[in-house]
Amino acid sequence: QCQICIRDRRQAQPIQIVENYLELRYTENTAIAFSMLHSVEPGLRKWIIYTLSSIAIVFLLVIIWKIRRQSFLGMVSLMFILSGAIGNISERIVRGYVIDFIHLHYYDKFSWPVFNVADILITCGAILLGLLMLKKSSESDIQNMETI
């Protein structure tokens, strides 16, 4: 039965959520963001993705552990990124690909690559982390100006 469900999803037409702007579109992504590594041989691509994802997850865990008492928002931003990374790699391990299904577009004039919830977490975490870094940088600049 499960194979029938998967076959049906692959053949399903996109579902319009907000006409000409947002639709649900079933896509199996064997590459990474924006189809990077798509031209690499599938067996090698899989191990590159597993290796890079594992390194990123370990790195994030170490950083989260180090800042756990210093910056709540910093930890939240890294947890968003970590959650998205774990979500994508676990789906890749189980299925061999990630299911992307959120498609933003503007009529036929603009189309953003199809993505999933894990991608949203990674993006939101990265944006929050960037904003925190900018804030910290500007606070540091202000302190340096006051000492002059």
Side-chain angles (χ1 to χ4, degrees):
Q1 274 183 330
C2 188
Q3 292 303 318
I4 293 170
C5 294
I6 291 172
R7 186 190 71 227
D8 290 346
R9 280 188 284 174
R10 288 179 182 148
Q11 296 171 354
Q13 293 297 313
I15 299 168
Q16 297 294 319
I17 304 299
V18 179
E19 193 171 346
N20 296 314
Y21 296 100
L22 173 64
E23 65 186 13
L24 300 181
R25 174 186 294 267
Y26 180 86
T27 306
E28 295 174 2
N29 184 357
T30 58
I32 57 176
F34 307 110
S35 296
M36 288 189 288
L37 299 180
H38 186 71
S39 61
V40 175
E41 187 270 320
L44 178 60
R45 177 176 54 230
K46 176 177 79 170
W47 290 109
I48 291 171
I49 293 170
Y50 288 169
T51 302
L52 292 176
S53 297
S54 298
I55 291 169
I57 288 169
V58 169
F59 176 76
L60 287 165
L61 287 169
V62 169
I63 299 300
I64 289 167
W65 180 258
K66 286 185 175 186
I67 70 159
R68 69 188 182 282
R69 292 191 179 105
Q70 297 172 13
S71 172
F72 176 75
L73 286 177
M75 195 170 77
V76 167
S77 67
L78 293 172
M79 291 298 285
F80 277 10
I81 297 168
L82 177 65
S83 298
I86 290 172
N88 275 340
I89 195 171
S90 61
E91 191 171 8
R92 226 174 260 290
I93 289 168
V94 170
R95 291 192 171 97
Y97 54 86
V98 172
I99 296 175
D100 289 334
F101 58 92
I102 302 167
H103 183 220
L104 297 174
H105 60 99
Y106 181 70
Y107 294 88
D108 291 334
K109 298 175 186 194
F110 169 80
S111 179
W112 190 258
V114 183
F115 57 95
N116 61 30
V117 175
D119 298 333
I120 293 170
L121 286 169
I122 292 168
T123 302
C124 288
I127 290 169
L128 178 58
L129 187 61
L131 292 172
L132 291 170
M133 292 171 76
L134 284 173
K135 181 179 181 276
K136 186 167 179 113
S137 175
S138 67
E139 287 173 357
S140 176
D141 290 345
I142 290 170
Q143 286 176 348
N144 288 340
M145 295 282 286
E146 289 174 354
T147 59
I148 295 178

